[in-house]
């Protein structure tokens, strides 16, 4: 059964910034996606963050930039509380597009600039109290300053970090295998063989590390590619389903509607509808 869902916020009409404390007792965050950008900033502690086919270990000063439609979630370690700031926005909220075509990424703020980074986040948070009628404009300016800060210090262009630790490199191999071979039939046994694990142990470990079952993850990857094909090709919906690894066109249509709330045909006609 596919359990990844659209975020509880189906849409936003302004920049949202909030600060919180999360840990093992926090409500379990489901695998989700949404139609706006998110910047997850870790101020203290340590946690795991799933982004597409990567599972990262975040520490103080790390952040994750999530583009619209990307599957993600965070997971927390026993006994470790994490202080974080979450920023949600759309390009249309900015005075100037400083995001461009930047992909989702995980980055680390250089230690030399951490104080400046934390001060900028603090200023953004102070404006959420609505100090006066200028607060929305200050919030937008600070967000643009943050995005420029990330670009200036090459946080947006850092090489991909390694997986959380070498013990989970086998799961990393499996997720990459799925991304590279989603168009053909892939069984749990195939992925387990790539990871050099027994199918039973692989299934348990895959769920533990990624937060998703093997079939859920495979369907997510296929649906993401189908989304792109619907908007960039004139292929029939049945052909797209087959090209993305779905043997049954009706199953593809039902799954697409269940996950995205619209049929493939409706999505192709109006991808920006909410």
């Amino acid at each position: 059964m596919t359990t990844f869902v659209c975020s509880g916020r189906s849409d936003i009409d302004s920049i949202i910034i909030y600060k919180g404390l999360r840990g093992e007792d926090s409500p379990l965050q489901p695998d989700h996606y949404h139609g706006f950008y998110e910047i997850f900033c870790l101020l203290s502690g340590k946690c795991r963050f799933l982004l597409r086919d990567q599972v990262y270990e975040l520490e103080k000063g790390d952040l994750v930039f999530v583009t619209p439609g990307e599957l993600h979630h965070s997971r927390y370690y026993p006994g470790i509380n994490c202080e974080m700031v979450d920023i949600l926005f759309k390009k249309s909220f900015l005075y100037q597009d400083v995001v461009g075509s930047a992909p989702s990424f995980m980055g680390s703020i250089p230690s030399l600039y951490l104080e400046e980074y934390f001060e900028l986040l603090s200023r953004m948070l102070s404006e959420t109290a609505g100090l006066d009628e200028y607060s929305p404009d200050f919030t937008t300016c600070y967000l643009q300053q943050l995005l420029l800060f990330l670009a200036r210090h090459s946080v947006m262009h850092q090489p991909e970090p390694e997986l959380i630790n070498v013990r989970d490199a086998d799961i990393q191999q499996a997720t990459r295998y799925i991304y590279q071979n989603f168009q053909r039939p892939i069984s749990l046994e195939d992925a387990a063989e790539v990871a050099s694990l027994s199918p039973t142990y692989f299934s348990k470990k895959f769920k533990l590390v990624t937060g998703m079952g093997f079939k859920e993850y495979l369907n997510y990857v296929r649906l993401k590619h189908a989304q792109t094909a619907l908007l960039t090709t004139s292929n029939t919906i049945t052909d797209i389903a087959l090209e993305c690894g779905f043997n049954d066109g009706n199953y593809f249509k039902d799954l697409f509607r269940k996950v995205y709330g619209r049929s493939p045909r409706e999505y192709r006609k109006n991808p920006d509808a909410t």
Side-chain angles (χ1 to χ4, degrees):
M1 178 180 178
T2 301
T3 58
F4 49 90
V5 298
C6 182
S7 165
R9 298 179 186 271
S10 59
D11 198 15
I12 57 175
D13 55 14
S14 64
I15 298 169
I16 295 175
I17 307 168
Y18 59 91
K19 183 178 181 179
L21 193 66
R22 295 181 183 172
E24 62 175 323
D25 295 328
S26 301
L28 188 63
Q29 185 185 46
D31 310 296
H32 67 284
Y33 63 92
H34 37 64
F36 41 83
Y37 289 88
E38 176 178 355
I39 306 177
F40 178 93
C41 311
L42 191 63
L43 306 185
S44 67
K46 182 173 69 172
C47 69
R48 287 179 171 181
F49 200 101
L50 168 75
L51 178 64
R52 292 183 59 185
D53 62 335
Q54 300 274 6
V55 181
Y56 300 108
E57 184 170 273
L58 306 186
E59 298 182 344
K60 176 181 177 180
D62 291 341
L63 63 86
V64 183
F65 182 87
V66 184
T67 57
E70 290 287 14
L71 190 74
H72 61 284
H73 71 227
S74 53
R75 291 288 184 269
Y76 300 91
Y77 291 102
I80 300 179
N81 288 322
C82 298
E83 189 176 26
M84 45 70 64
V85 170
D86 224 11
I87 304 169
L88 312 177
F89 70 97
K90 291 182 176 180
K91 274 188 183 183
S92 59
F93 300 163
L94 302 174
Y95 297 132
Q96 180 181 357
D97 180 9
V98 292
V99 174
S101 58
S104 297
F105 66 88
M106 176 270 182
S108 298
I109 304 299
S111 57
L112 182 63
Y113 305 109
L114 271 178
E115 184 176 350
E116 180 183 354
Y117 169 65
F118 289 148
E119 175 62 25
L120 182 53
L121 292 179
S122 178
R123 291 182 180 181
M124 295 178 71
L125 286 165
S126 69
E127 296 297 339
T128 62
L131 301 178
D132 51 38
E133 67 270 26
Y134 303 110
S135 284
D137 289 322
F138 269 107
T139 299
T140 302
C141 289
Y142 287 143
L143 174 57
Q144 295 205 169
Q145 185 178 345
L146 173 63
L147 293 168
L148 290 170
F149 173 90
L150 298 180
R152 166 174 280 180
H153 298 301
S154 301
V155 178
M156 288 186 173
H157 310 290
Q158 292 176 351
E160 280 291 299
E162 293 299 318
L163 185 70
I164 47 178
N165 56 60
V166 294
R167 292 176 302 170
D168 297 324
D170 43 15
I171 302 302
Q172 176 89 323
Q173 286 180 306
T175 56
R176 286 178 174 169
Y177 172 77
I178 292 170
Y179 253 81
Q180 294 168 358
N181 296 277
F182 69 92
Q183 293 174 301
R184 70 179 190 83
I186 301 177
S187 67
L188 184 144
E189 288 74 19
D190 292 333
E193 183 177 354
V194 169
S196 299
L197 300 173
S198 71
T200 300
Y201 182 67
F202 169 78
S203 180
K204 293 179 180 178
K205 186 172 183 180
F206 192 93
K207 176 74 173 180
L208 177 66
V209 173
T210 68
M212 302 177 67
F214 163 75
K215 188 65 174 180
E216 297 167 26
Y217 188 82
L218 177 59
N219 279 337
Y220 162 72
V221 172
R222 287 172 169 169
L223 285 175
K224 285 294 294 181
H225 283 87
Q227 272 188 303
T228 300
L230 285 167
L231 301 182
T232 58
T233 75
S234 58
N235 296 350
T236 67
I237 291 173
T238 298
D239 285 344
I240 289 174
L242 294 173
E243 290 165 2
C244 291
F246 294 101
N247 294 326
D248 185 331
N250 289 327
Y251 173 75
F252 164 69
K253 294 174 186 177
D254 290 343
L255 183 63
F256 194 97
R257 180 183 289 278
K258 180 178 180 180
V259 172
Y260 298 115
R262 287 175 288 163
S263 70
R265 188 178 305 279
E266 291 168 336
Y267 177 80
R268 173 175 260 174
K269 288 182 178 179
N270 189 8
D272 296 324
T274 58

